[in-house]
Amino acid sequence: MGRRLARLTACGMTLAAGLAMAGCGMFGQPGNGGSSAPPNTVAQGFKIGLLLPDSTTARYEKFDRPLITQSIAALCPKCQVVYYNADHDASMQQRQFDAALDVDVQVIILDPVDAKAIAPMVSRAHDEDVPIVAYDRLARGPINAYTSFDNIQVGKMQGQALLDAISTGGDPERGPIVMLNGSPLDPNASDFAKGARSVLNGRVVIGKEYDVPNWSPEQARLDAVDAFTALGAAKVIGVYAANDSLAGGAAEAMRDTGVRKGTPLTGQDAELTAIQRILLGTQTMTVYKPIKSEAENAAEMAIDLGTGKKVKGSGSGSGTVDNGTSSSIPARIVQPAVVTRENIKETVVKDGFWKVQDICVASVQAACKAAGLS
């Protein structure tokens, strides 16, 4: 039974017993089940649900989960994080969302597997006065806050880096490129592709394009093999991969099918293997997204909402977003950065995202030395 329904039932029983109505106030106070009682406090602590979409993408378990948990602990030591990972399964995430509500979380940080499919659960949370912070991906439904990166800008960065790299070899229309976009269920994926296309359209020949379900590296490899076979591996002059997992699959396909070594390949997320590929010359760039700032935003917004405070947006744009269900949602947008072989030390190493000893394993030692990393 949801808290709102339970409260209604309790109030009805109170009325039947002829008791006062003082305890059955109006609904609508975010973070305290809609009662007229005082909202949650940091001193007392409360439960915060954290729903992440998958464990395949390295960032979620390596960075997002611990950083969000640490940020919450720093701001609200007595708050409890109730964690779920959906492993790319939208139906599982809906069940996890339901479970979070049933254990009385007071606010939820949500990174949806499927931004549209999760909307009914977001509506249920709204009905039970449980605020939602959409994290990284903009969920549909009546959410209360959002923090992410400028995803169209990420795509533009990828597209420009690819165009620049292709152009160093001559006419950027001298051969086809292949585009490996992210999951069609992820709204960020369409933004990345939109941003990349805003740079690439009319400047390059897109020979083949694929939307890769669940951001699967293996499916990206298969799609890339299909593309290189159809187009002719020797003719392909560049590959747009929307993130580093897809880039990993593409790099394997490029090697196995005979695509020219050093053919430009993009990525995103600054995964360790991607940084190593960049050093080895089998990936051109990645987009580094300061997840620590995003995690801190999510924690602060969740605690503010849970304690009944107003959340404010910040960053690029108006400080608000529209998710198609709600308008003027407070948003905090973090700036990403392009990482190439030349600035690894000034970006991911300087920020402590990766240590030199993590990057420079035996197989990469020579490349690290050449890049001034060891």
Side-chain angles (χ1 to χ4, degrees):
M1 180 183 293
R3 282 172 297 170
R4 183 179 176 92
L5 180 56
R7 183 165 183 80
L8 283 168
T9 303
C11 289
M13 292 173 66
T14 300
L15 277 171
L19 298 177
M21 283 285 293
C24 300
M26 295 297 291
F27 296 98
Q29 173 64 51
N32 72 336
S35 75
S36 59
N40 305 302
T41 66
V42 167
Q44 292 175 334
F46 50 94
K47 292 180 181 178
I48 298 173
L50 173 59
L51 280 72
L52 295 182
D54 71 77
S55 54
T56 303
T57 306
R59 59 169 285 189
Y60 289 118
E61 294 295 334
K62 175 73 175 177
F63 297 107
D64 297 80
R65 179 187 179 184
L67 287 171
I68 291 171
T69 301
Q70 291 163 17
S71 297
I72 289 171
L75 295 170
C76 183
K78 292 189 177 180
C79 282
Q80 176 187 349
V81 176
V82 183
Y83 175 67
Y84 304 88
N85 190 302
D87 287 326
H88 285 300
D89 188 329
S91 296
M92 180 186 292
Q93 188 169 66
Q94 290 176 13
R95 295 192 296 273
Q96 291 173 340
F97 198 117
D98 197 57
L101 292 176
D102 285 344
V103 297
D104 290 332
V105 298
Q106 300 295 295
V107 60
I108 290 175
I109 299 170
L110 169 67
D111 192 339
V113 175
D114 184 330
K116 293 180 181 178
I118 203 67
M121 298 308 300
V122 174
S123 294
R124 178 190 162 186
H126 176 76
D127 290 344
E128 296 190 18
D129 302 302
V130 177
I132 303 293
V133 177
Y135 180 78
D136 204 61
R137 300 173 183 173
L138 187 57
R140 294 290 181 91
I143 64 172
N144 302 83
Y146 172 60
T147 184
S148 186
F149 301 89
D150 185 334
N151 297 310
I152 291 178
Q153 180 62 26
V154 168
K156 288 180 178 179
M157 288 175 166
Q158 294 171 316
Q160 190 62 56
L162 182 60
L163 180 61
D164 290 346
I166 289 171
S167 297
T168 61
D171 181 0
E173 293 185 283
R174 67 188 181 278
I177 72 163
V178 175
M179 290 190 70
L180 299 170
N181 303 318
S183 170
L185 301 180
D186 181 349
N188 289 359
S190 60
D191 282 347
F192 301 146
K194 181 178 180 180
R197 279 185 165 280
S198 73
V199 175
L200 297 173
N201 281 353
R203 306 290 301 279
V204 302
V205 177
I206 300 173
K208 288 280 187 178
E209 184 170 7
Y210 304 81
D211 293 334
V212 183
N214 295 329
W215 294 93
S216 166
E218 175 58 16
Q219 188 59 52
R221 184 187 71 81
L222 294 172
D223 289 341
V225 168
D226 177 75
F228 302 152
T229 301
L231 298 170
K235 296 180 179 179
V236 173
I237 64 169
V239 180
Y240 168 84
N243 78 351
D244 292 333
S245 293
L246 304 190
E252 186 176 343
M254 292 165 78
R255 180 197 66 205
D256 293 345
T257 59
V259 173
R260 182 182 58 83
K261 187 176 179 180
T263 294
L265 170 65
T266 67
Q268 176 187 179
D269 290 332
E271 290 188 2
L272 180 59
T273 52
I275 299 299
Q276 292 167 338
R277 285 194 297 270
I278 289 170
L279 286 165
L280 293 169
T282 56
Q283 184 170 326
T284 307
M285 57 80 72
T286 186
V287 176
Y288 166 51
K289 300 189 296 189
I291 297 172
K292 187 173 185 292
S293 297
E294 185 184 27
E296 289 171 346
N297 285 343
E300 185 177 334
M301 290 169 131
I303 291 167
D304 282 350
L305 287 167
T307 54
K309 296 179 182 177
K310 185 177 181 180
V311 172
K312 293 182 179 179
S314 64
S316 61
S318 64
T320 64
V321 294
D322 185 334
N323 70 348
T325 306
S326 303
S327 59
S328 301
I329 299 163
R332 296 184 186 175
I333 306 301
V334 181
Q335 265 306 117
V338 170
V339 178
T340 64
R341 184 177 180 277
E342 289 69 35
N343 70 348
I344 291 172
K345 184 183 290 186
E346 289 73 35
T347 52
V348 294
V349 172
K350 181 180 178 182
D351 282 5
F353 194 75
W354 295 116
K355 296 178 180 177
V356 170
Q357 55 264 40
D358 295 326
I359 299 169
C360 298
V361 296
S363 61
V364 195
Q365 276 286 356
C368 280
K369 185 175 181 180
L373 283 180
S374 59

